[in-house]
């Protein structure tokens, strides 16, 4: 019944490790996003995929690599984790504009790098 | 570059004390202005979309309004359950880019 789901909810790992976060939406939307929310609660776009094609890449270090196996899934893989990567990562989805454009967010993944 | 500024950063109200949250924006052609509510430990929850100046939308105790430079979220007779962070975001009309540019949010606390 959940519209946008993410796994895991919490991720604690050490510097230098590689980790992945998974996202799935059952809304039938064509576009999916990854956002990062820092310790000051500021929410910033990282990537967007439309029908499995990358359409937004907002100057994110290339240690971050999104992958969309189909339009209902968007995963985020992070290589060589750094302390500054600690944040909450949100997945979101929307219909193609101009159909509606409001984005629906998942519950977030809190990543802590030690 | 699109910009969104929200004020105040934090607001404490007594239950029943109405107030307004401000969102000022600059964008290269507005496609939409969005209000979200975020509870601690959860993802943002969609509230409203406003598309053009003069538009208003209401939901329970909340009413959102839009001008060419800012939006207000009016809260009438708030209750403690309205306590949350309220986020404003804009989406530009230019190109196929559908990203939202968010403000830093306003943390609202409503005391019983």
């Amino acid at each position: 019944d959940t519209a946008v789901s993410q796994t895991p909810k919490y991720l604690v790992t050490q510097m230098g490790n590689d980790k992945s976060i998974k996202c799935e939406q059952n809304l039938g939307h064509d576009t999916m996003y990854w956002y990062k929310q820092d310790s000051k609660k500021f929410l910033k776009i990282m990537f967007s995929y439309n029908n499995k094609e990358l359409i937004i890449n907002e100057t994110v270090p290339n240690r971050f690599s999104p992958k969309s196996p189909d339009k209902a899934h968007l995963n985020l893989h992070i290589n060589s984790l750094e302390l500054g990567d600690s944040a909450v990562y949100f997945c979101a989805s929307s219909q193609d504009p101009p159909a509606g454009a409001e984005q629906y967010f998942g519950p977030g993944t809190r990543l802590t790098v030690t | 570059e699109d910009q969104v500024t929200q004020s105040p950063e934090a607001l404490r109200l007594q239950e029943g004390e109405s107030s307004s949250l401000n969102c000022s924006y600059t964008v290269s052609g507005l496609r939409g202005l969005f209000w979200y509510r975020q509870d601690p430990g959860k993802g943002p929850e969609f509230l409203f979309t406003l598309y053009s100046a003069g538009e208003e939308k209401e939901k329970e105790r909340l009413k959102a309004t839009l001008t060419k430079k800012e939006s207000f979220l009016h809260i009438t007779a708030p209750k403690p359950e309205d306590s949350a962070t309220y986020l404003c975001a804009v989406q530009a009309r230019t190109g196929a880019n559908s990203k939202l540019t968010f403000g830093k949010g306003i943390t609202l606390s409503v005391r019983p």
Side-chain angles (χ1 to χ4, degrees):
Chain A
D1 188 43
T2 305
V4 182
S5 59
Q6 295 179 229
T7 53
K9 174 84 172 159
Y10 300 97
L11 189 50
V12 181
T13 188
Q14 292 184 326
M15 282 175 56
N17 284 349
D18 303 338
K19 290 293 178 186
S20 291
I21 307 171
K22 295 187 175 183
C23 177
E24 177 180 2
Q25 55 95 4
N26 62 7
L27 296 167
H29 288 165
D30 295 308
T31 306
M32 296 184 72
Y33 311 81
W34 279 112
Y35 285 85
K36 179 180 180 180
Q37 190 169 47
D38 60 26
S39 56
K40 296 185 178 178
K41 308 294 185 187
F42 189 46
L43 200 60
K44 192 168 183 194
I45 184 76
M46 298 174 68
F47 300 104
S48 176
Y49 269 75
N50 178 268
N51 277 321
K52 303 194 292 175
E53 182 182 343
L54 181 68
I55 58 170
I56 299 174
N57 183 340
E58 286 282 309
T59 58
V60 176
N62 58 16
R63 298 182 296 103
F64 291 78
S65 52
K67 280 202 170 69
S68 182
D70 56 61
K71 75 173 194 177
H73 295 85
L74 180 62
N75 303 324
L76 183 65
H77 188 76
I78 316 170
N79 288 326
S80 304
L81 278 154
E82 301 178 356
L83 292 176
D85 297 332
S86 295
V88 182
Y89 292 84
F90 288 100
C91 177
S93 73
S94 71
Q95 291 182 334
D96 278 346
E102 59 260 24
Q103 296 178 15
Y104 293 88
F105 286 77
T109 296
R110 181 174 293 278
L111 171 65
T112 304
V113 183
T114 61
Chain B
E1 188 178 323
D2 304 336
Q3 281 196 323
V4 177
T5 303
Q6 292 187 250
S7 61
E9 263 187 44
L11 183 61
R12 297 184 72 182
L13 299 174
Q14 198 69 37
E15 184 172 2
E17 179 189 0
S18 301
S19 188
S20 297
L21 312 181
N22 177 262
C23 170
S24 299
Y25 66 92
T26 55
V27 64
S28 50
L30 182 70
R31 170 174 280 153
L33 184 140
F34 303 82
W35 282 98
Y36 285 83
R37 170 190 170 129
Q38 186 174 22
D39 292 298
K42 296 192 174 180
E45 176 190 345
F46 171 72
L47 293 174
F48 303 109
T49 311
L50 300 167
Y51 294 103
S52 56
E55 190 175 359
E56 297 183 353
K57 286 195 177 168
E58 284 189 69
K59 180 181 178 180
E60 296 179 358
R61 295 177 293 283
L62 301 177
K63 182 167 88 170
T65 62
L66 181 65
T67 72
K68 288 186 177 179
K69 292 183 181 179
E70 56 191 351
S71 176
F72 290 94
L73 186 65
H74 306 278
I75 303 179
T76 303
K79 297 183 177 182
E81 53 262 42
D82 295 322
S83 298
T85 296
Y86 291 86
L87 301 168
C88 172
V90 295
Q91 186 179 55
R93 190 181 294 124
T94 51
N97 192 324
S98 55
K99 72 172 184 178
L100 295 182
T101 299
F102 280 87
K104 292 187 177 180
I106 297 170
T107 301
L108 174 66
S109 300
V110 182
R111 301 188 300 274

